[in-house]
Amino acid sequence: MIEKVDCIVIGAGVVGLAIARSLAVAGREVIILEAENSYGMHTSTRNSGCIHAGINYPPGSLKNQLAIRGKNLLYQYCPERGVTHEMTGKFVVAIEDEDIPVLHELKEKANKNGLDQIYIADAGQIKEMEPNLNCAGALYSPTSGLIEPHDLMTAFLGDAENCGAVLAVNTKVLSGAIFEDFVELIVSGNPETKIRCGLCVNAAGHGAQKIAAAIKGISSETVPKQFLTRGCYFVMHGRKPFNRM
């Protein structure tokens, strides 16, 4: 038996759920396929949860534009949906005096990106704001913040489901093929199931390249190479020494 649906989103991380939400809100029929037993089980909940201001990106780049637009949209969306977040502000710290010129370079880039609220604070100003922070100076970004990623994904999923979207967990994409008018996927199950859709979005995070390779009709030249990096995160118990990032 072949199931048919308008749109399929592969991956229920924050990106996949955001895409599914947008499609569902626009009136599209959406199924979200997730290999794990719940949503947001990988990268989406293994990060710092930082709302970036858009300081470091090349001026005029798409990443810069989306960072600023995304930040503004998040600060609008989160209070409406009860998503835990805080506009904490952020220091980019210069430990030694010789590091101060780098702060000026970052400030110039930030200003070109349209971030006029960013300024350089001296050691005295920083001590008033964060008594436990010792440094020569810092670039201060007042609109940087923190967000609870799982809360955000829950809100995205809720919006999508309220508009008729369906989340299918424990459902792995095994293979597929692109035809002229549709995409056909074979997904795990007992028995395996064929699903056809008019629109298929691969938002599978670290697994996106593997899934793309399993779908006939996708040229390997169009699939971005994967570059993996490792970040280490620590949990602090007790009273935190700082109020800002």
Side-chain angles (χ1 to χ4, degrees):
M1 181 177 178
I2 299 177
E3 301 288 343
K4 296 181 180 180
V5 65
D6 182 16
C7 306
I8 289 177
V9 177
I10 305 171
V14 67
V15 173
L17 292 174
I19 293 169
R21 174 189 178 275
S22 293
L23 290 169
V25 168
R28 306 290 292 269
E29 179 190 20
V30 182
I31 292 180
I32 311 159
L33 304 179
E34 171 53 49
E36 301 292 348
N37 61 7
S38 187
Y39 56 94
M41 297 293 286
H42 291 280
T43 310
S44 295
T45 48
R46 273 71 176 174
N47 60 77
S48 60
C50 180
I51 300 175
H52 293 282
I55 299 172
N56 295 319
Y57 309 129
S61 65
L62 182 60
K63 196 168 186 178
N64 159 240
Q65 296 172 43
L66 294 180
I68 295 174
R69 183 167 181 262
K71 174 191 67 176
N72 294 334
L73 289 173
L74 280 174
Y75 283 135
Q76 176 183 337
Y77 179 78
C78 289
E80 295 173 353
R81 301 293 283 109
V83 175
T84 304
H85 73 291
E86 183 180 0
M87 190 186 294
T88 58
K90 175 181 178 179
F91 283 116
V92 180
V93 175
I95 302 299
E96 307 291 345
D97 288 335
E98 61 191 34
D99 299 323
I100 297 294
V102 178
L103 298 183
H104 287 278
E105 292 175 7
L106 283 174
K107 181 179 182 299
E108 183 178 355
K109 181 185 289 187
N111 292 155
K112 288 181 179 178
N113 284 338
L115 302 172
D116 298 327
Q117 295 175 309
I118 286 178
Y119 64 90
I120 294 177
D122 60 31
Q125 291 173 306
I126 294 167
K127 273 296 180 184
E128 291 181 4
M129 299 171 73
E130 294 289 352
N132 294 315
L133 179 57
N134 298 310
C135 61
L139 184 72
Y140 183 59
S141 168
T143 61
S144 297
L146 292 171
I147 190 169
E148 173 48 61
H150 199 271
D151 281 4
L152 180 63
M153 287 187 287
T154 300
F156 283 164
L157 178 59
D159 290 345
E161 289 181 331
N162 286 340
C163 293
V166 175
L167 171 63
V169 298
N170 296 315
T171 306
K172 297 181 180 180
V173 175
L174 304 176
S175 61
I178 298 176
F179 296 88
E180 184 175 352
D181 298 322
F182 60 88
V183 177
E184 183 176 277
L185 301 177
I186 298 176
V187 301
S188 62
N190 189 17
E192 296 174 356
T193 303
K194 285 185 178 180
I195 307 178
R196 289 180 179 177
C197 62
L199 174 66
C200 179
V201 181
N202 181 357
H206 287 169
Q209 280 83 357
K210 182 178 180 180
I211 288 175
I215 298 176
K216 295 179 181 179
I218 296 180
S219 170
S220 60
E221 296 179 355
T222 66
V223 179
K225 292 183 179 180
Q226 191 173 61
F227 297 94
L228 300 179
T229 58
R230 177 182 175 183
C232 296
Y233 295 90
F234 301 89
V235 176
M236 175 179 288
H237 297 284
R239 186 176 180 180
K240 60 182 181 181
F242 307 113
N243 295 313
R244 300 166 181 82
M245 288 189 288

